[in-house]
Amino acid sequence: MALLTLVGCGRTQPPTDTKPPHSLGRVDAARLARADFEPGQWFTTGRDAGGTYFSPLSQISEQSVDKLGFAWQYALGTSRGLEASPVVVDGVMFAAGNYGRVYALNAATGVELWTFVPTVDMQWARFACCDVVNRGLAVWKGRVYVAALDGYLYCLDATTGRPIWKADTLIGREQHIPYTVTGAPVVTRDAVAIGNGGADYPGVRGYVTAYDLDSGKFKWRFFTVPRNPALGAQDQPHLVRAVKTWDPRHQWEAGGGGNVWDGLSYDAKNDLLFMGTANVSPYNTRQDGRKGGDELYGCSVIAVHASNGDMAWYYQEVPDDRWDFDSTQKFILTTLAIGGVTRDVLLHAPKNGFFYVFDRATGEVLAAHNFTFVNWTKGLDSVTHRPVPNAAADYYKNPTLVWPSAFGAHSWHPMSFNPGTGLVYIPVLEMPNVMIELSERPAKAVDGWFTVQGLVPGDYDPAQSVRLYGPLPGLASLERQSPGPMKAQSVLKAWDPAMGKVVWQVSGATTWDGGVMSTAGNLVFRGDARGLLNIYAANSGKLLKSIDVGTGIMAAPVTYSANGEQYVAFMAGYGGGAGFLYAPGTAAYKYGNAGRIVALKLGGGSVPKPQEVAVPPFEKPPLERMARTEVLQGEILYNRVCSRCHVFGRGMMPDLRRLSAQTHDIFYDIVLRGAYLSKGMGRFDDVLSQADTEAIHAYLLDQAWDAYEGKATPLIKSY
C-alpha cells in the first residue's frame, strides 16, 4: 500500500522568451563515435557510446578542485527519488525525473527551456517496487526518447518538448499485469529499444521491445524467459531450449521474471544490443518440493542482433537464482589488453558479487572474479566460470545468511571506467541478509518479495519479529557462517578489470549512496545519502573535497563545458529501493527531500541548503483502539502489503500513524476504491477485503496510540 504525497511539477524557473538559435539535440552515430573529440558534451547517460561515465575534461582537476562551488540549481517540485544522469548537448541539458518527466535547461544558467509531463495512470505507482524513479533518456537527431512509469514510450521534439509519437510498450495492460518502466531507452542503428520491470511481482514475464525511431512503429520483441508451456509451444526459437531448464512444475502463474529494467547498451561495431536480465519469479524455486533448474535466461547477460531481435549469445551469471540476484546493472563497453591481446570487451558487475569481462562479439568470459564477499556459491569453475553450488545458501528449510544481500553487491548505481588509470570505480554494497521462507510462517508473504523475506543485520531482531516470522535463529549463530563483517556498509572500490583485483577502496556514508563519475583531472565523483558530493583522487582514493548539498545524491554526476567553463552537475533526491525510510544522519532526515538539479563550477560558493525539517509531536488519535485480535491480524497484513513503502518514522511516504481525522474517515475509500489515485496511491481491492482493511486500520490506530503515549520505537533500517 503506497499513499504518496506529491508536490506539483510545474515551471520552477522564471519563463524565458529567448528562442533557441537552432534545433536542439543534434546527436548522431558519427558524432557519438567521436565523443572523445568533443569532451565538453555528455551525449548519453554514460557520456559516450560505451557508457563509461568518464569525461576527458580536466579544467577541474586534482589541483583546482578545492575551488569547486555552486553555479546554479533548478527545483524539480518533487520529493521522490532521482536516479538519472542528465544528457548535455551543445549547452542544453536534458534530464529525466519521476514518472518520466523531462526537463530541458540552459546548461550554463539552469534556466528552463521547456518541460514535459506525461499523463500517467497512477495505479502503476503501486507496481513500482523501488519508487517512481526514472534512470534516463536518449537524445538522437533532434529528438528525446523517454519512457513513462506506466509503460508508454515517448518521442519528443528536442527543441520544443512537443510529443511526436507515443508507443504502448506493455503487454497485459488491460489485466493490469504489474509491469513498470523505470530504465533508460537505448538507440540502435534504426530503432529505440526499451525493457521493463516487475520481476518482483506475480504474472510478469520479461522482454525488450524495439520501435522505429521516426514513427514509433513496432519492430521486434525479445522475450527473456519462456511462457507457460500450458499455453502451447514456445513463441520464440531461443525459448525452446530455455524451457527445458525450468522445473516442469514451476509456478508459471508467477510469470517467470527475467525483466530488463535497466542497463541496455548498444555496440554499433557489431550491431548488438546487450541486456541483463532480472531475478526468476517467484524467488523460491523449491516451494512444494520443486527441484528448480538453471531457469534460462534469468540473471543472464544476453546479446541480440539489433536489426531483428534474434539472439547472438548469452551467458547466465546466476543459474537457478533464488536470491534476487538481478544482472540488470549497467554495462561498460571498452577495449582492454587481455593476455597481451587488445579485445573489445563488455564489463559487468552484477548483484551476485562477481566482476565479469566478456568478449563483446562472442560472449566468451575472459575474466570473472569476486569483488566482495560471497557465499551463495563456493566459487566459479576455473574453465566454465559456472558457479559451484553451496548448500549453505539454501534458505527454504531454515533461515540462512546469504552474501551478498538481495540489494546486491552492486545495484543500479552506475560505475565508471577511467582509461587513463585503467580502473573501474564500483559503488559496492557490502552487506549480507538473512533470507527466510515465509509460506509456513505467520507473515506468509511480503509485497515485492513473494514468500521470501531478506533482513539485513541491522533489521534482524528475532525477539521483536516473532509475531511475523515465528522462531528465528540468533544472529550470533548466523554470524559463524559469514565470510565478511556482520554490518551494512557502502564501499567505493577501484577495480583493475585486467588483473581482477581491488587497487584501493574507501568507505561510504550508508549502503544507499550514489553512482560514480571519473574524469581526466584524476578525479572520481560520488554523492551520498548525507547530501555530500565526495571527490577522490582517481589513482589513490584520497578524499580531496566534500561539498555539502543538503540533499541526498544517488544519481551519478555528469560534467560538461559551456562558454569555456567546466561544470559538474547532478540530480539530487533520495529514494529508490532502500530509500523509503530516512535514517538519522541522512540529508533527507534533516532537511526533507526536495528534489533539484545542482550545478557546480570553479570559483563558486557554498551550495544553498534547504531549511531543516521540524517534526511535530504526535497528536492524540481521533479514534479509540480496536480489538486486539484485529490489531494482530492487521500487523501481519500491514507488513505484507503496506510496509514496503510506508515506514514508521521520517520517510518518503506519509507516516500512517499521523493520519488526520478526515483521512481516517475516508480510509476505506483510499485503500479499496482509489480515492487518492491522483496522488499515486493505487487501489488495493484486488488483494485486500473490507475485513483486511479494517484490521490494517486497527493496527495503525494501535501504533498511533503507542506513539502518542511515547511507547513506540520505530524500526530504523540499517542502510
Side-chain angles (χ1 to χ4, degrees), residues 107 165 297 494 500-501 551 667-668:
W165 56 256
Y297 298 93
K501 66 178 184 178
T551 306
F667 187 81
Y668 304 102

Side-chain angles (χ1 to χ4, degrees), residues 369-394:
H369 301 89
N370 61 297
F371 59 88
T372 188
F373 303 105
V374 298
N375 75 349
W376 65 273
T377 174
K378 291 182 178 180
L380 303 183
D381 183 274
S382 60
V383 177
T384 65
H385 303 287
R386 182 181 174 88
V388 178
N390 183 9
D394 292 334

Side-chain angles (χ1 to χ4, degrees), residues 528 530 532-536 543-549:
D528 66 30
R530 297 172 299 181
L532 300 180
L533 179 69
N534 302 297
I535 308 168
Y536 305 91
L543 179 64
L544 302 174
K545 187 178 180 67
S546 290
I547 298 174
D548 191 354
V549 175

